[in-house]
Amino acid sequence: MDSSEAVYNALKKSGIDFVVSLPCVNLGKIMKMVDSDQDIVHVPVTREEEGFGICAGAFIGGKSPAMLMQNSGLGNSVNVLASLFELYKLPVMIIMSHRGTEGEFMSAQIPMGKATPKVLDALEIPYFNPKTPDDALNIIPKAWQIAKTKGTPVGILLDIKFW
């Protein structure tokens, strides 16, 4: 099982049935699997804040939502995560391609790569950093349980080496 298959299978195992995505080369294969899955509603968007708003509505409507995005979009999402998700105790699984980590070829990704865990800490969003496909398969369902139990977003950081 490759990394993308592990993340997709973990989303299925978690009961995620609503996925919002933003373009990302590392997450592309997962997006194709989600898009062809008739049990998952897939909504591609162009802005993270829009995606989180859609996820909030999906949860209120009875869905189990997840976002597929690059960590660079976390900076765009601070306000919606604090003022909507934290305030109303809404869960969402945030699957992030963690650019700017070891092995990154594009220097512009490195500052946000370093800042990402600090931003999650500042927002008090629990996050996990699976290193292998098996880790992802085991960690993602547990992370979703935390999100639902505590009514909080939860982050999954997938470093460059994960792919």
Side-chain angles (χ1 to χ4, degrees), residues 108-127:
Q109 297 285 353
I110 294 173
M112 189 60 194
K114 289 180 181 175
T116 296
K118 297 173 189 171
V119 172
L120 292 168
D121 287 339
L123 293 170
E124 298 179 1
I125 294 176
Y127 62 94

Side-chain angles (χ1 to χ4, degrees), residues 40-77:
I40 298 176
V41 175
H42 180 208
V43 181
V45 296
T46 57
R47 295 287 301 180
E48 291 80 8
E49 313 92 300
E50 173 189 21
F52 279 113
I54 292 169
C55 283
F59 176 75
I60 292 167
K63 296 291 188 181
S64 295
M67 286 274 293
L68 298 176
M69 57 184 261
Q70 199 175 95
N71 65 304
S72 59
L74 182 63
N76 298 335
S77 308

Side-chain angles (χ1 to χ4, degrees):
M1 178 180 324
D2 73 15
S3 299
S4 296
E5 291 169 340
V7 172
Y8 170 75
N9 289 336
L11 290 172
K12 294 288 288 182
K13 186 176 174 183
S14 301
I16 297 295
D17 59 4
F18 192 95
V19 174
V20 173
S21 69
L22 289 102
C24 173
V25 67
N26 292 332
L27 298 169
K29 187 174 174 185
I30 301 169
M31 290 179 201
K32 286 180 183 175
M33 288 186 264
V34 164
D35 201 47
S36 64
D37 189 323
Q38 295 187 1
D39 296 328
I40 298 176
V41 175
H42 180 208
V43 181
V45 296
T46 57
R47 295 287 301 180
E48 291 80 8
E49 313 92 300
E50 173 189 21
F52 279 113
I54 292 169
C55 283
F59 176 75
I60 292 167
K63 296 291 188 181
S64 295
M67 286 274 293
L68 298 176
M69 57 184 261
Q70 199 175 95
N71 65 304
S72 59
L74 182 63
N76 298 335
S77 308
V78 169
N79 185 50
V80 71
L81 289 168
S83 64
L84 179 62
F85 282 83
E86 182 180 339
L87 182 64
Y88 294 104
K89 306 292 182 206
L90 302 174
V92 64
M93 172 79 72
I94 312 169
I95 305 286
M96 284 179 274
S97 171
H98 192 184
R99 300 290 306 268
T101 56
E102 186 178 345
E104 176 64 57
F105 69 93
M106 188 178 298
S107 61
Q109 297 285 353
I110 294 173
M112 189 60 194
K114 289 180 181 175
T116 296
K118 297 173 189 171
V119 172
L120 292 168
D121 287 339
L123 293 170
E124 298 179 1
I125 294 176
Y127 62 94
F128 302 89
N129 188 220
K131 300 296 185 193
T132 66
D134 284 340
D135 283 352
L137 196 55
N138 292 319
I139 289 171
I140 290 172
K142 293 175 186 169
W144 179 240
Q145 285 303 312
I146 291 169
K148 287 193 311 184
T149 302
K150 295 187 175 185
T152 183
V154 64
I156 303 294
L157 298 177
L158 303 172
D159 295 348
I160 297 292
K161 289 189 169 191
F162 176 80
W163 305 104

